[in-house]
Amino acid sequence: MNNRTLAIIKPDAVRDNVAGKIISKIIDAGFKIKAMKMTRLTNDSAGGFYLIHKNRPFYNDLVEYMSSGPCIPIALERENAVSEFRKLIGATDPNEAAEGTIRKLYAKNKAENAIHGSDSDENAAIEIAHFFSRKELLENYNG
Ligand code: CMP
């Protein structure tokens, strides 16, 4: 399956009140919203989500930042969702992100970078399951 990805509008972007603008860009780029919620992650949930980065020097700061306020996880659908979404959001570091990308427009720096996108189909499935039950995904199915 190569048609789903997980986005998270991160706490900095929610705080800055740009979630609506970001969602508009995502929809304009041809993605369909399959499920979406606003939620505040606990330290445990943020730590679990980013477990893959456990040994990185920025892990503790990342967990603290991701649990610092509400975020908006969104399950998205589109052909080649993972790669197309990564193109739309741009490089992790906004200084390296292409013009017009979401991170170029809204990220503050490499850490507070406005939005997350899954990096593989396998991780997309795991990450979507972190936030949404099968029931939620099916109930929201609209073709
Ligand atoms: P994301 O795409 O969600 O995946 C891992 C996150 O860790 C990344 O976005 C940033 O928020 C953060 N991150 C990645 N690299 C660094 C870094 N060098 N320093 C601080 N935070 C980082």
Side-chain angles (χ1 to χ4, degrees):
M1 184 142 107
N2 68 351
N3 64 343
R4 281 194 175 179
T5 193
L6 181 87
I8 307 176
I9 301 178
K10 296 186 176 182
D12 59 301
V14 174
R15 257 193 297 272
D16 291 346
N17 238 351
V18 292
K21 288 180 180 162
I22 292 176
I23 292 166
S24 257
K25 272 187 89 64
I26 294 171
I27 291 170
D28 288 350
F31 289 87
K32 275 195 163 175
I33 294 176
K34 306 308 293 184
M36 177 164 84
K37 64 175 86 167
M38 184 146 134
T39 182
R40 180 160 181 178
L41 300 182
T42 60
N43 266 47
D44 271 3
S45 183
F49 184 83
Y50 280 116
L51 209 55
I52 202 165
H53 295 307
K54 177 124 187 75
N55 295 323
R56 304 282 196 96
F58 56 80
Y59 179 74
N60 287 342
D61 288 343
L62 175 61
V63 170
E64 195 178 316
Y65 149 62
M66 285 302 293
S67 53
S68 68
C71 67
I72 304 176
I74 315 173
L76 292 168
E77 200 166 277
R78 207 208 113 129
E79 204 178 322
N80 299 321
V82 166
S83 58
E84 289 301 320
F85 194 69
R86 287 175 78 81
K87 268 190 236 163
L88 178 67
I89 68 178
T92 306
D93 184 343
N95 291 320
E96 290 163 20
E99 286 302 325
T101 59
I102 291 173
R103 282 173 173 160
K104 185 69 174 185
L105 288 166
Y106 301 116
K108 294 185 174 56
N109 51 55
K110 219 178 193 173
E112 295 192 62
N113 62 355
I115 191 151
H116 168 83
S118 310
D119 66 1
S120 67
D121 291 338
E122 191 192 1
N123 283 336
I126 295 167
E127 290 178 2
I128 288 170
H130 186 93
F131 289 105
F132 301 105
S133 67
R134 187 175 152 72
K135 187 164 172 280
E136 281 173 304
L137 290 163
L138 288 172
E139 274 172 356
N140 287 317
Y141 191 75
N142 61 359

